[in-house]
Amino acid sequence: MLVDGMALLFRAFYATAVSGQFMINSKGVPTNGIHGFVKHFLTAITKFNPTHVAVCWDMGSKTFRTEMFQDYKANRSEPPVELMPQFDLVKELVEAFDVPNIGLAGFEADDCIGTIAKNCDDHLSVSILTGDRDILQLLDHRISVILLQKGYGNYLVHTKESFYEEKGIHPEQMIDLKALMGDPSDNYPGVKGIGEKTALKLLQSYNNVDGILANLHQISKAQKTKIEQDLEMLHLSRKLAEIKCDVPIDYVLEDAIYQINRDKVLTKFDEFEFRGLHRLVDQQKEYA
């Protein structure tokens, strides 16, 4: 199981931050995001029972994508002050589980996840735990995606077959879908005036961006004009949308064998002044 650490931490933080419940401990440190992260993390491991677990992280806001397009994610504000100290502390907690923290400056967590998922032994099945649908482009015969839903323990599990049933395109075509329609959350526009419905129809007919461009004479004049006017942004958006699966990260599969040391974890819980999480640890099946 590959865990999108940022997705879990942000989801957990904002779920309680909205009501001002930052869980500030006796040292004056807010821990609400970390507390919720642990609940998501252990609940998923109990349900899906992976043999190996690793957590991937973004390592700063500047990546190769911001070098290509300076407005990439420029619509996102700075993290709240209550969240800032939790970025390093949550990694400490992951270390207490003897689970690897993986990340590389210049790349996003998704790129690290994609690199590991696509390049590990072919006999291994990989599940990706996230709240971010961008990762669905990685789905294949042995990669599934577990999407967090509202609350704890609620998931939408996607395979390449279920994705095709939902969208009518294959997972790898999602890159071309985002190239056409853009992504407001990542702040790149795609082709102005082309939304998801039109983009899906074009991909179902012509397979990918190259196929569409080779058949511009067959599509409506309005769609042809929009694509021709935004051709440069179409190609750039496709590069921004594609998860890199050749990131130069170092990792050892054996280091990710999931076998926790209960005392070590509970000591870290006590250090963070967590209450009510011990029972989730006791539901785990493997102890070192």
Side-chain angles (χ1 to χ4, degrees):
M1 178 183 282
L2 294 169
V3 179
D4 181 345
M6 287 298 186
L8 267 65
L9 182 66
F10 273 88
R11 177 176 287 258
F13 176 83
Y14 286 108
T16 49
V18 68
S19 56
Q21 297 173 325
F22 296 113
M23 293 179 63
I24 295 170
N25 65 19
S26 63
K27 302 182 190 78
V29 179
T31 59
N32 64 317
I34 310 168
H35 188 275
F37 174 96
V38 173
K39 285 176 71 177
H40 280 304
F41 180 77
L42 290 179
T43 301
I45 288 173
T46 300
K47 181 170 179 65
F48 296 101
N49 195 28
T51 56
H52 298 67
V53 181
V55 183
C56 296
W57 301 96
D58 294 346
M59 303 296 284
S61 58
K62 298 295 181 190
T63 69
F64 74 95
R65 291 182 180 86
T66 47
E67 289 177 15
M68 283 197 289
F69 183 56
Q70 64 179 10
D71 288 335
Y72 181 74
K73 292 190 176 180
N75 54 336
R76 302 193 184 187
S77 55
E78 285 292 308
V81 291
E82 294 88 358
L83 179 56
M84 296 295 279
Q86 301 190 55
F87 288 128
D88 288 335
L89 291 174
V90 73
K91 289 173 190 162
E92 274 185 37
L93 198 138
V94 170
E95 284 176 13
F97 280 96
D98 294 318
V99 167
N101 286 303
I102 297 171
L104 186 64
F107 300 94
E108 296 180 44
D110 284 1
D111 301 312
C112 297
I113 289 170
T115 297
I116 298 169
K118 290 290 188 181
N119 293 289
C120 65
D121 290 347
D122 201 52
H123 69 277
L124 290 174
S125 61
V126 179
S127 57
I128 301 168
L129 180 66
T130 184
D132 185 355
R133 295 182 68 89
D134 289 353
I135 211 94
L136 293 170
Q137 65 182 262
L138 297 176
L139 289 166
D140 66 19
H141 66 286
R142 60 181 183 78
I143 299 173
S144 61
V145 173
I146 304 163
L147 289 173
L148 296 163
Q149 304 295 288
K150 194 169 183 180
Y152 292 94
N154 300 313
Y155 311 100
L156 174 61
V157 181
H158 259 307
T159 61
K160 66 173 189 171
E161 291 81 13
S162 66
F163 179 83
Y164 185 81
E165 284 174 23
E166 181 186 305
K167 292 289 188 187
I169 58 172
H170 298 289
E172 61 273 16
Q173 290 175 284
M174 189 174 173
I175 304 165
D176 300 88
L177 178 68
K178 292 185 68 180
L180 288 160
M181 61 183 279
D183 186 336
S185 69
D186 286 344
N187 204 44
Y188 58 88
V191 177
K192 289 186 185 73
I194 290 193
E196 183 174 22
K197 193 174 176 183
T198 300
L200 285 170
K201 281 184 178 177
L202 289 170
L203 292 172
Q204 285 159 1
S205 299
Y206 305 111
N207 192 41
N208 55 30
V209 165
D210 290 340
I212 294 166
L213 295 179
N215 289 280
L216 280 179
H217 59 285
Q218 294 192 27
I219 69 176
S220 75
K221 187 178 178 183
Q223 289 170 6
K224 180 174 182 282
T225 301
K226 288 171 185 173
I227 289 170
E228 287 176 338
Q229 285 177 344
D230 260 338
L231 203 53
E232 192 176 338
M233 184 51 73
L234 172 64
H235 288 301
L236 177 57
S237 294
R238 196 188 186 287
K239 288 178 184 173
L240 296 172
E242 185 171 14
I243 292 172
K244 275 186 75 69
C245 296
D246 58 356
V247 174
I249 49 174
D250 292 321
Y251 64 93
V252 178
L253 184 65
E254 286 70 29
D255 291 345
I257 293 171
Y258 186 70
Q259 201 172 35
I260 67 174
N261 181 321
R262 183 177 184 274
D263 292 340
K264 187 175 176 182
V265 170
L266 296 186
T267 297
K268 185 58 72 172
F269 284 0
D270 290 342
E271 184 186 319
F272 285 177
E273 300 174 22
F274 286 160
R275 305 284 179 266
L277 293 180
H278 294 54
R279 63 180 177 77
L280 292 176
V281 175
D282 290 332
Q283 289 171 4
Q284 304 300 294
K285 293 180 180 173
E286 296 293 336
Y287 292 127

